[in-house]
Amino acid sequence: MSLRINDVAQAAGVNKETLRYYERRGLIDQPDRSPGGHRLYDERAVQTLRIIKAAQRLGFTLDEVADLIEVGRRRGRDSGLQVRARAKLVEVEARMADLTAIRDNLRAALDAGCDDLHECASSDCCPLPFAEITTR
């Protein structure tokens, strides 16, 4: 069954330009063409697009997704999804720790009533991290 670009884009929840871009990047195989020159995709293109979007939601960059797809094509088990997912998890957990620290500092600043950065920075009771920097 051959699908036209509008059908594939709609089924995968992307727009036509995104589909064309992924095709140019080599994430999606080049489709066959109709006698009139229209792109004709198979159902695998829809599946690949959904996989790309799911991987992006997991925090993988488009370059990382491209690498994962290429590894999958070569069936390279040692450097596949498991290895990359573990590395991405470490990265996400580090970002979460950073965000937790930011949240805690913002809450402390709100609780302390900080209203002016210059006043707060020169105050001994300032909970914001830049207070340490200005006293060094």
PDB file of all heavy atoms in Angstrom, residues 3 5 9 13 27 32-33 43 54 85-86 95-96 100 103 114 116 120 124 129 135:
ATOM      1  N   LEU A   3       1.318   5.335   0.365  1.00  0.00           N
ATOM      2  CA  LEU A   3       0.710   6.500   1.006  1.00  0.00           C
ATOM      3  C   LEU A   3       1.338   7.766   0.461  1.00  0.00           C
ATOM      4  O   LEU A   3       2.552   7.837   0.259  1.00  0.00           O
ATOM      5  CB  LEU A   3       0.921   6.440   2.520  1.00  0.00           C
ATOM      6  CG  LEU A   3       0.388   5.201   3.236  1.00  0.00           C
ATOM      7  CD1 LEU A   3       0.937   5.145   4.657  1.00  0.00           C
ATOM      8  CD2 LEU A   3      -1.131   5.234   3.258  1.00  0.00           C
ATOM      9  N   ILE A   5       2.252  11.893   0.788  1.00  0.00           N
ATOM     10  CA  ILE A   5       2.907  12.646   1.852  1.00  0.00           C
ATOM     11  C   ILE A   5       1.913  13.184   2.887  1.00  0.00           C
ATOM     12  O   ILE A   5       2.176  13.136   4.094  1.00  0.00           O
ATOM     13  CB  ILE A   5       3.798  13.776   1.282  1.00  0.00           C
ATOM     14  CG1 ILE A   5       4.708  14.337   2.370  1.00  0.00           C
ATOM     15  CG2 ILE A   5       2.960  14.851   0.598  1.00  0.00           C
ATOM     16  CD1 ILE A   5       5.838  15.207   1.847  1.00  0.00           C
ATOM     17  N   ALA A   9       2.132  12.168   6.849  1.00  0.00           N
ATOM     18  CA  ALA A   9       2.311  13.241   7.829  1.00  0.00           C
ATOM     19  C   ALA A   9       1.168  13.244   8.842  1.00  0.00           C
ATOM     20  O   ALA A   9       1.400  13.327  10.051  1.00  0.00           O
ATOM     21  CB  ALA A   9       2.415  14.592   7.125  1.00  0.00           C
ATOM     22  N   GLY A  13       1.416  12.451  12.803  1.00  0.00           N
ATOM     23  CA  GLY A  13       1.283  13.659  13.622  1.00  0.00           C
ATOM     24  C   GLY A  13       2.381  14.680  13.397  1.00  0.00           C
ATOM     25  O   GLY A  13       2.787  15.378  14.323  1.00  0.00           O
ATOM     26  N   LEU A  27      16.774  10.113   7.823  1.00  0.00           N
ATOM     27  CA  LEU A  27      16.055   9.415   8.882  1.00  0.00           C
ATOM     28  C   LEU A  27      14.942   8.547   8.305  1.00  0.00           C
ATOM     29  O   LEU A  27      14.577   7.529   8.882  1.00  0.00           O
ATOM     30  CB  LEU A  27      15.467  10.415   9.876  1.00  0.00           C
ATOM     31  CG  LEU A  27      16.494  11.256  10.638  1.00  0.00           C
ATOM     32  CD1 LEU A  27      15.812  12.415  11.338  1.00  0.00           C
ATOM     33  CD2 LEU A  27      17.227  10.396  11.634  1.00  0.00           C
ATOM     34  N   ASP A  32       9.493   5.837  -3.032  1.00  0.00           N
ATOM     35  CA  ASP A  32       9.296   5.666  -4.464  1.00  0.00           C
ATOM     36  C   ASP A  32       8.511   6.872  -4.956  1.00  0.00           C
ATOM     37  O   ASP A  32       7.938   7.630  -4.168  1.00  0.00           O
ATOM     38  CB  ASP A  32       8.509   4.380  -4.756  1.00  0.00           C
ATOM     39  CG  ASP A  32       9.307   3.121  -4.406  1.00  0.00           C
ATOM     40  OD1 ASP A  32      10.554   3.167  -4.471  1.00  0.00           O
ATOM     41  OD2 ASP A  32       8.670   2.114  -4.050  1.00  0.00           O
ATOM     42  N   ARG A  33       8.472   7.033  -6.255  1.00  0.00           N
ATOM     43  CA  ARG A  33       7.724   8.136  -6.862  1.00  0.00           C
ATOM     44  C   ARG A  33       6.673   7.580  -7.818  1.00  0.00           C
ATOM     45  O   ARG A  33       6.885   6.568  -8.476  1.00  0.00           O
ATOM     46  CB  ARG A  33       8.655   9.072  -7.643  1.00  0.00           C
ATOM     47  CG  ARG A  33       9.718   9.761  -6.838  1.00  0.00           C
ATOM     48  CD  ARG A  33       9.152  10.945  -6.117  1.00  0.00           C
ATOM     49  NE  ARG A  33      10.188  11.646  -5.360  1.00  0.00           N
ATOM     50  CZ  ARG A  33      10.128  12.910  -5.066  1.00  0.00           C
ATOM     51  NH1 ARG A  33       9.105  13.640  -5.455  1.00  0.00           N
ATOM     52  NH2 ARG A  33      11.076  13.470  -4.360  1.00  0.00           N
ATOM     53  N   GLU A  43       3.963   1.944   4.883  1.00  0.00           N
ATOM     54  CA  GLU A  43       3.548   2.054   6.287  1.00  0.00           C
ATOM     55  C   GLU A  43       4.755   2.184   7.227  1.00  0.00           C
ATOM     56  O   GLU A  43       4.656   2.755   8.297  1.00  0.00           O
ATOM     57  CB  GLU A  43       2.690   0.844   6.665  1.00  0.00           C
ATOM     58  CG  GLU A  43       1.900   0.991   7.938  1.00  0.00           C
ATOM     59  CD  GLU A  43       0.928   2.168   7.954  1.00  0.00           C
ATOM     60  OE1 GLU A  43       0.264   2.422   6.937  1.00  0.00           O
ATOM     61  OE2 GLU A  43       0.840   2.835   8.999  1.00  0.00           O
ATOM     62  N   ALA A  54       8.803   9.767  19.315  1.00  0.00           N
ATOM     63  CA  ALA A  54       8.854   9.163  20.652  1.00  0.00           C
ATOM     64  C   ALA A  54      10.252   9.313  21.245  1.00  0.00           C
ATOM     65  O   ALA A  54      10.409   9.641  22.429  1.00  0.00           O
ATOM     66  CB  ALA A  54       8.447   7.689  20.585  1.00  0.00           C
ATOM     67  N   ALA A  85      20.267   4.690  25.992  1.00  0.00           N
ATOM     68  CA  ALA A  85      19.205   5.009  26.959  1.00  0.00           C
ATOM     69  C   ALA A  85      19.792   5.168  28.357  1.00  0.00           C
ATOM     70  O   ALA A  85      19.383   6.065  29.107  1.00  0.00           O
ATOM     71  CB  ALA A  85      18.126   3.927  26.945  1.00  0.00           C
ATOM     72  N   ARG A  86      20.753   4.321  28.710  1.00  0.00           N
ATOM     73  CA  ARG A  86      21.409   4.468  30.020  1.00  0.00           C
ATOM     74  C   ARG A  86      22.125   5.805  30.119  1.00  0.00           C
ATOM     75  O   ARG A  86      22.046   6.498  31.133  1.00  0.00           O
ATOM     76  CB  ARG A  86      22.402   3.328  30.252  1.00  0.00           C
ATOM     77  CG  ARG A  86      21.745   2.053  30.697  1.00  0.00           C
ATOM     78  CD  ARG A  86      22.785   0.997  31.100  1.00  0.00           C
ATOM     79  NE  ARG A  86      22.146  -0.296  31.205  1.00  0.00           N
ATOM     80  CZ  ARG A  86      22.114  -1.206  30.228  1.00  0.00           C
ATOM     81  NH1 ARG A  86      22.704  -0.972  29.080  1.00  0.00           N
ATOM     82  NH2 ARG A  86      21.496  -2.353  30.404  1.00  0.00           N
ATOM     83  N   ARG A  95      20.310  16.710  34.952  1.00  0.00           N
ATOM     84  CA  ARG A  95      19.515  17.923  34.701  1.00  0.00           C
ATOM     85  C   ARG A  95      18.442  18.102  35.759  1.00  0.00           C
ATOM     86  O   ARG A  95      18.162  19.218  36.195  1.00  0.00           O
ATOM     87  CB  ARG A  95      18.863  17.868  33.311  1.00  0.00           C
ATOM     88  CG  ARG A  95      19.832  18.193  32.193  1.00  0.00           C
ATOM     89  CD  ARG A  95      19.130  18.416  30.885  1.00  0.00           C
ATOM     90  NE  ARG A  95      18.328  17.249  30.543  1.00  0.00           N
ATOM     91  CZ  ARG A  95      17.799  16.996  29.365  1.00  0.00           C
ATOM     92  NH1 ARG A  95      17.951  17.829  28.397  1.00  0.00           N
ATOM     93  NH2 ARG A  95      17.097  15.916  29.152  1.00  0.00           N
ATOM     94  N   MET A  96      17.841  16.979  36.180  1.00  0.00           N
ATOM     95  CA  MET A  96      16.815  17.054  37.222  1.00  0.00           C
ATOM     96  C   MET A  96      17.420  17.546  38.538  1.00  0.00           C
ATOM     97  O   MET A  96      16.803  18.345  39.252  1.00  0.00           O
ATOM     98  CB  MET A  96      16.132  15.701  37.406  1.00  0.00           C
ATOM     99  CG  MET A  96      15.220  15.348  36.240  1.00  0.00           C
ATOM    100  SD  MET A  96      14.518  13.694  36.348  1.00  0.00           S
ATOM    101  CE  MET A  96      13.545  13.805  37.809  1.00  0.00           C
ATOM    102  N   THR A 100      16.307  20.846  40.437  1.00  0.00           N
ATOM    103  CA  THR A 100      15.913  20.795  41.853  1.00  0.00           C
ATOM    104  C   THR A 100      16.657  21.863  42.638  1.00  0.00           C
ATOM    105  O   THR A 100      16.059  22.567  43.465  1.00  0.00           O
ATOM    106  CB  THR A 100      16.178  19.395  42.440  1.00  0.00           C
ATOM    107  OG1 THR A 100      15.373  18.453  41.728  1.00  0.00           O
ATOM    108  CG2 THR A 100      15.844  19.338  43.915  1.00  0.00           C
ATOM    109  N   ARG A 103      15.164  25.199  41.738  1.00  0.00           N
ATOM    110  CA  ARG A 103      13.866  25.342  42.413  1.00  0.00           C
ATOM    111  C   ARG A 103      14.056  25.681  43.884  1.00  0.00           C
ATOM    112  O   ARG A 103      13.409  26.599  44.416  1.00  0.00           O
ATOM    113  CB  ARG A 103      13.056  24.054  42.283  1.00  0.00           C
ATOM    114  CG  ARG A 103      11.673  24.158  42.954  1.00  0.00           C
ATOM    115  CD  ARG A 103      11.051  22.817  43.226  1.00  0.00           C
ATOM    116  NE  ARG A 103      11.900  22.079  44.149  1.00  0.00           N
ATOM    117  CZ  ARG A 103      11.942  20.753  44.214  1.00  0.00           C
ATOM    118  NH1 ARG A 103      11.201  20.019  43.421  1.00  0.00           N
ATOM    119  NH2 ARG A 103      12.729  20.142  45.073  1.00  0.00           N
ATOM    120  N   CYS A 114      13.485  38.348  48.977  1.00  0.00           N
ATOM    121  CA  CYS A 114      14.401  39.049  48.072  1.00  0.00           C
ATOM    122  C   CYS A 114      13.599  39.758  46.982  1.00  0.00           C
ATOM    123  O   CYS A 114      12.755  39.160  46.338  1.00  0.00           O
ATOM    124  CB  CYS A 114      15.388  38.077  47.433  1.00  0.00           C
ATOM    125  SG  CYS A 114      16.521  37.306  48.599  1.00  0.00           S
ATOM    126  N   ASP A 116      15.335  42.820  45.388  1.00  0.00           N
ATOM    127  CA  ASP A 116      16.308  43.567  44.604  1.00  0.00           C
ATOM    128  C   ASP A 116      17.608  42.758  44.581  1.00  0.00           C
ATOM    129  O   ASP A 116      18.171  42.453  45.634  1.00  0.00           O
ATOM    130  CB  ASP A 116      16.536  44.942  45.240  1.00  0.00           C
ATOM    131  CG  ASP A 116      17.518  45.764  44.441  1.00  0.00           C
ATOM    132  OD1 ASP A 116      18.737  45.491  44.562  1.00  0.00           O
ATOM    133  OD2 ASP A 116      17.093  46.664  43.710  1.00  0.00           O
ATOM    134  N   CYS A 120      20.117  42.102  47.717  1.00  0.00           N
ATOM    135  CA  CYS A 120      20.202  40.709  48.156  1.00  0.00           C
ATOM    136  C   CYS A 120      21.650  40.217  48.100  1.00  0.00           C
ATOM    137  O   CYS A 120      22.118  39.553  49.006  1.00  0.00           O
ATOM    138  CB  CYS A 120      19.304  39.829  47.295  1.00  0.00           C
ATOM    139  SG  CYS A 120      19.045  38.179  47.967  1.00  0.00           S
ATOM    140  N   ASP A 124      23.980  39.487  54.091  1.00  0.00           N
ATOM    141  CA  ASP A 124      24.459  38.215  54.636  1.00  0.00           C
ATOM    142  C   ASP A 124      23.380  37.143  54.674  1.00  0.00           C
ATOM    143  O   ASP A 124      23.682  35.958  54.706  1.00  0.00           O
ATOM    144  CB  ASP A 124      24.997  38.424  56.066  1.00  0.00           C
ATOM    145  CG  ASP A 124      26.283  39.221  56.066  1.00  0.00           C
ATOM    146  OD1 ASP A 124      26.988  39.216  55.039  1.00  0.00           O
ATOM    147  OD2 ASP A 124      26.585  39.826  57.114  1.00  0.00           O
ATOM    148  N   PRO A 129      22.721  31.716  45.435  1.00  0.00           N
ATOM    149  CA  PRO A 129      24.115  31.272  45.334  1.00  0.00           C
ATOM    150  C   PRO A 129      25.098  32.361  44.967  1.00  0.00           C
ATOM    151  O   PRO A 129      26.262  32.257  45.263  1.00  0.00           O
ATOM    152  CB  PRO A 129      24.074  30.188  44.259  1.00  0.00           C
ATOM    153  CG  PRO A 129      22.695  30.107  43.762  1.00  0.00           C
ATOM    154  CD  PRO A 129      21.838  31.028  44.541  1.00  0.00           C
ATOM    155  N   THR A 135      31.308  37.522  47.730  1.00  0.00           N
ATOM    156  CA  THR A 135      32.109  37.686  48.933  1.00  0.00           C
ATOM    157  C   THR A 135      33.505  37.114  48.772  1.00  0.00           C
ATOM    158  O   THR A 135      34.328  37.268  49.640  1.00  0.00           O
ATOM    159  CB  THR A 135      31.417  37.009  50.150  1.00  0.00           C
ATOM    160  OG1 THR A 135      31.225  35.629  49.862  1.00  0.00           O
ATOM    161  CG2 THR A 135      30.103  37.694  50.449  1.00  0.00           C
TER     162      THR A 135
END
